[in-house]
Amino acid sequence: MSVFAGSHLTCIRGERAVFAALDFAVDAGGALVLVGPNGSGKSSLLRLMAGLLRPAAGLLTWNGDTLDDEPDVHRGRLHYVGHLDAVKPVLTVLENVAFWAGLRGQRDADGAARQALDAFGVGRLADVPARFLSAGQKRRVTLARIAAAPAPLWLLDEPTTALDAAAVGLLRDAIARHRAGGGLVVVSTHAELGLDDAATLSLDDFAAGGAR
Amino acid sequence: MSWLAHLLRRDLRLALRQGMDSLMVVAFFVIAVVLFPFGVGPGVNTLARIAAGVIWVAALLASMLALERLFQADYEDGSLELLALAPVPLELITLAKVAAHWLTTGLPLIAAAPLLALVLFLPTEGLWMLVAALALGTPTLSLVGAVGAALVLGSRRGGVLLSLLVLPLYIPVLIFGVGAVNQVMLGESAQPHLMILGGFLLGALALCPWASAAALRQALE
């Protein structure tokens, strides 16, 4: 049985049905890549998986248990990377990452944050205020945030935005390490990430009414 | 509970590094109160009679100033989304943010109030009661204000809407806050007024974090 699955999901945004009767399933160590044109509902599906949105119909399950039963528990096992970086300009890079790690109960938040920053090649910026970072560096810091505290499910919405080729490689490595430890990844992307044996879900197949 | 301190520390650090918000609130408070001797004349009796009311109204308006930023910055840079996804109830996160807001805006107002009371010739016994009433009343203002700040999130011209939403709800606190000072000046006991202010605070503490969290979830949909 799949660890994380959804069945017959329907999402309605502002009276418009974005997608309907969508099914997906991800196994332990598995990866699911969401593809589809702009507006096909990749972000909406990820927000739905995170619990930020409620499905208009359908069911999300984790190991067979519905998510609605224990939303707190589900939030504890997921990392979400959205379009925004959530990096505070007046805090240093390390403070930014360590805050989120500490909020997720990471004991040695500073140490874990330093390690994660190193993994994304921004370790030497640890004590720099975040307002001096470029867009790509901010993105690396955001990705370091999810690496700094363990969580089985990664939901990544266009994680490669503003990243250079080297950083995309680092992200690929981080995802591979995460999956090797039994972690799950759902990622929406326009760029080719090159994940090993990843399933692909085309949102276009579930466009409500077929009209686009 | 360590994450509560963790969150509080982060918000205080942000407030201190940005610095301007607290300073502006106190500066507005001082200027608004100091305008009154110019407006109504320097008569000692007149000023002493209106002092409590003037200081309370100025404190209400000043605490409104920083309210809009309470969730706005976190909303705009995506932090609020992540806070809502943290394995901690959003209600308690809201409470921590309100506590930080009060420490950085409410507390400086209370510290500045005695000085302004002297400017308006408020007698000493009234001055201490004013400080006590503000200490009980301003946390209520922050709590109620947080509900308003969460509700206007994402709307244009949220600041004006926020004052329309929140100021009417501040009226009870204003009435009993000023009442406590007036009672003392008349030589009566202010205890009932203080107890009612305390009751407001407990009620707000029990209700407002839930209302704010519900409004935040709505804003994030």
Side-chain angles (χ1 to χ4, degrees), chain B residues 128-185:
Chain B
W128 292 118
M129 183 47 66
L130 177 71
V131 171
L134 279 172
L136 267 178
T138 45
T140 314
L141 302 184
S142 290
L143 282 162
V144 172
V147 181
L151 279 172
V152 302
L153 217 52
S155 68
R156 285 184 313 120
R157 312 198 48 82
V160 181
L161 188 61
L162 180 60
S163 25
L164 292 181
L165 269 176
V166 166
L167 280 178
L169 296 174
Y170 281 179
I171 292 173
V173 179
L174 176 64
I175 291 173
F176 289 98
V178 175
V181 182
N182 286 343
Q183 286 295 101
V184 169
M185 305 243 294

Side-chain angles (χ1 to χ4, degrees), chain A residues 47 75 86 88 90 95 99, chain B residues 6 17 74 77 81 84 220:
Chain A
R47 293 176 71 83
R75 290 204 298 269
K88 289 284 176 200
V90 293
E95 283 168 344
F99 165 70
Chain B
H6 191 64
R17 296 238 177 116
D74 278 341
D77 71 9
E81 236 165 44
L220 286 175

Side-chain angles (χ1 to χ4, degrees), chain A residues 2-22:
Chain A
S2 301
V3 175
F4 187 41
S7 60
H8 278 84
L9 293 169
T10 300
C11 175
I12 298 175
R13 301 294 283 153
E15 317 231 320
R16 188 180 75 93
V18 183
F19 53 76
L22 184 146

Side-chain angles (χ1 to χ4, degrees), chain B:
Chain B
M1 289 318 249
S2 66
W3 52 264
L4 202 75
H6 191 64
L7 202 69
L8 202 62
R9 209 161 39 231
R10 173 239 195 192
D11 269 30
L12 289 178
R13 194 181 271 164
L14 281 174
L16 292 179
R17 296 238 177 116
Q18 280 155 346
M20 287 308 289
D21 273 6
S22 316
L23 215 64
M24 250 166 29
V25 168
V26 177
F28 175 86
F29 182 48
V30 171
I31 290 172
V33 171
V34 168
L35 286 179
F36 276 82
F38 296 109
V40 297
V44 173
N45 288 334
T46 329
L47 285 176
R49 201 163 53 75
I50 62 168
V54 166
I55 290 176
W56 260 103
V57 170
L60 293 192
L61 296 176
S63 78
M64 290 268 331
L65 273 188
L67 214 49
E68 198 191 348
R69 301 299 300 163
L70 180 54
F71 300 116
Q72 190 75 30
D74 278 341
Y75 177 71
E76 280 166 3
D77 71 9
S79 301
L80 195 60
E81 236 165 44
L82 297 182
L83 287 174
L85 286 176
V88 172
L90 190 54
E91 287 78 7
L92 294 177
I93 290 178
T94 323
L95 196 61
K97 286 195 78 72
V98 171
H101 177 259
W102 181 77
L103 285 173
T104 51
T105 60
L107 210 55
L109 288 188
I110 297 173
L115 202 70
L116 294 172
L118 289 179
V119 171
L120 298 182
F121 304 108
L122 188 72
T124 322
E125 66 269 22
L127 187 151
W128 292 118
M129 183 47 66
L130 177 71
V131 171
L134 279 172
L136 267 178
T138 45
T140 314
L141 302 184
S142 290
L143 282 162
V144 172
V147 181
L151 279 172
V152 302
L153 217 52
S155 68
R156 285 184 313 120
R157 312 198 48 82
V160 181
L161 188 61
L162 180 60
S163 25
L164 292 181
L165 269 176
V166 166
L167 280 178
L169 296 174
Y170 281 179
I171 292 173
V173 179
L174 176 64
I175 291 173
F176 289 98
V178 175
V181 182
N182 286 343
Q183 286 295 101
V184 169
M185 305 243 294
L186 292 171
E188 309 270 337
S189 161
Q191 203 194 359
H193 290 76
L194 289 181
M195 286 177 85
I196 290 174
L197 280 177
F200 285 150
L201 177 56
L202 291 177
L205 209 53
L207 292 175
C208 291
W210 273 261
S212 314
L216 289 181
R217 285 203 188 93
Q218 195 66 40
L220 286 175
E221 281 245 323

